[in-house]
């Protein structure tokens, strides 16, 4: 993976996280309604805490975009975070506590988890 492509990928990951985090922060119901995900979260404190966590991870991806080789530990953390979102969402769908449409949102995290893994391999 070329350095420019890698930087752009992590920058896109940062922007993605910021958009999702801001969407959850300001109107989680609308975000879930757009993807027909049910049930809609009803605990604003936990939604807001999760939104800020998503935004903070986006800051980490931005840092990586500035210097991928110097931020391999943050890449590992990002990969773990993205994979964890996918697994937690999949578990919720399998247990019947969330609709399958949640996996549409989680699919983006799966793509980024795979791309982050490829970047780590490229960095050695």
């Amino acid at each position: 993976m070329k350095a420019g492509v890698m930087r752009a990928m992590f920058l896109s990951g940062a922007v993605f996280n910021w958009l999702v985090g801001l969407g959850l922060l300001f109107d989680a119901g609308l975000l879930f309604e757009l993807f027909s995900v049910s049930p809609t979260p009803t605990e604003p404190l936990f939604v807001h805490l999760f939104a800020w966590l998503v935004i903070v991870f986006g800051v980490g991806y931005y840092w990586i975009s500035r210097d991928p080789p110097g931020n391999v530990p943050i890449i590992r953390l990002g990969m773990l975070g993205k994979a964890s979102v996918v697994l937690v969402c999949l578990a919720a769908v399998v247990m019947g506590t969330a609709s399958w449409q949640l996996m549409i949102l989680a699919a983006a995290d799966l793509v980024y988890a795979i791309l982050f893994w490829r970047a780590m391999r490229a960095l050695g």
Side-chain angles (χ1 to χ4, degrees):
M1 185 178 291
K2 294 181 180 181
V5 170
M6 195 178 298
R7 285 192 300 273
M9 176 194 62
F10 284 109
L11 183 58
S12 77
V15 171
F16 172 78
N17 267 50
W18 294 333
L19 291 174
V20 170
L22 290 171
L24 289 170
L25 193 61
F26 291 108
D27 197 347
L30 176 63
L31 182 64
F32 285 104
E33 187 179 312
L34 284 173
F35 289 92
S36 300
V37 175
S38 62
T40 303
T42 58
E43 297 293 332
L45 173 63
F46 294 109
V47 173
H48 291 158
L49 287 171
F50 181 72
W52 279 110
L53 183 62
V54 169
I55 291 167
V56 168
F57 264 74
V59 171
Y61 304 145
Y62 174 75
W63 290 341
I64 296 167
S65 76
R66 307 281 294 165
D67 178 22
N71 287 295
V72 171
I74 301 174
I75 296 173
R76 285 191 191 109
L77 182 63
M79 198 171 56
L80 176 63
K82 293 289 189 188
S84 296
V85 167
V86 174
L87 292 175
V88 169
C89 290
L90 183 59
V93 170
V94 168
M95 292 186 312
T97 58
S99 63
W100 68 267
Q101 291 92 334
L102 183 61
M103 294 310 297
I104 296 168
L105 295 169
D109 284 312
L110 177 60
V111 169
Y112 276 112
I114 293 166
L115 291 172
F116 290 5
W117 175 75
R118 289 188 64 204
M120 274 193 20
R121 284 190 52 206
L123 291 170

